[in-house]
Amino acid sequence: VEVRSSTWILLLSLGPGWLTGQDTTSAAGTGDTTGYHNRLTVLPFIGYSPETHVLFGVGGGWQFKWPGRARDGGTRASYLAGAVTYTTRSQWAVGGETSLYPPGNRWWFFVRSQASYFPLVYYGVGSGTELADSNRMNHRLLKLEAKALKRVTGHLYVGPYYRLHSFFDVKWQFPQ
């Protein structure tokens, strides 16, 4: 069996405090009484796959605690994150995600969204498939997931969850 598809991605970390110049060392176990430090991370990347050719983009996130809660060990850190990807074949993806824990972790708010134009290639099932068995699906995709959960007890949260995955402008390319 010959592997016909592979993806190589190189991540380049610019470090957590690169854009802000902020001290991002952890206060845990150091005797530091200043508390939690917010963190900003930016990761440019470049990669290659036969379907996309060269792809490149940037992703990153900001991890934080609510103002005045840096020393509150009972409140989880929240984050905002996102990424943008583009390929030399004019394919693209844009996405973002947030997870918010207000003081005391009484609620958990989570939102994830994505919009993309990226191909999917189906090679068939099993180890005996050939490249000639592949089908390519070009499509546009919109994703949205959201939940607002209330803590009932301990680590048990209850609440509504919404999920939308919409594929449209679907075009199949079958082998000749």
Side-chain angles (χ1 to χ4, degrees):
V1 175
E2 181 179 344
V3 176
R4 304 266 183 181
S5 176
S6 63
T7 301
W8 297 90
I9 296 179
L10 173 65
L11 295 174
L12 305 170
S13 175
L14 298 178
W18 179 70
L19 291 178
T20 62
Q22 178 178 356
D23 177 17
T24 59
T25 57
S26 173
T30 62
D32 184 1
T33 59
T34 59
Y36 181 86
H37 295 283
N38 296 339
R39 292 166 177 82
L40 178 64
T41 303
V42 177
L43 298 167
F45 56 88
I46 187 167
Y48 177 83
S49 79
E51 293 84 17
T52 64
H53 285 198
V54 177
L55 64 89
F56 51 92
V58 65
W62 178 47
Q63 186 177 2
F64 64 95
K65 282 197 176 183
W66 296 95
R69 295 294 177 165
R71 293 188 197 154
D72 179 1
T75 298
R76 291 185 61 176
S78 299
Y79 69 86
L80 300 168
V84 176
T85 305
Y86 190 78
T87 76
T88 54
R89 287 193 165 175
S90 300
Q91 301 147 344
W92 54 269
V94 177
E97 181 175 302
T98 185
S99 182
L100 302 174
Y101 287 94
N105 299 329
R106 290 182 297 276
W107 287 89
W108 177 28
F109 302 103
F110 178 84
V111 176
R112 176 183 296 144
S113 61
Q114 178 185 349
S116 65
Y117 171 69
F118 240 81
L120 292 176
V121 179
Y122 296 99
Y123 290 98
V125 178
S127 61
T129 60
E130 301 288 329
L131 184 59
D133 297 330
S134 67
N135 299 309
R136 180 182 167 118
M137 182 179 86
N138 289 323
H139 66 282
R140 297 186 190 279
L141 171 65
L142 290 176
K143 283 186 185 180
L144 176 63
E145 297 181 37
K147 54 186 158 187
L149 305 177
K150 171 96 168 103
R151 188 174 69 193
V152 177
T153 182
H155 297 290
L156 176 63
Y157 288 78
V158 176
Y161 173 57
Y162 177 78
R163 180 175 167 181
L164 167 75
H165 288 200
S166 178
F167 290 84
F168 57 98
D169 290 340
V170 176
K171 294 177 182 77
W172 286 95
Q173 294 177 352
F174 298 100
Q176 300 298 328

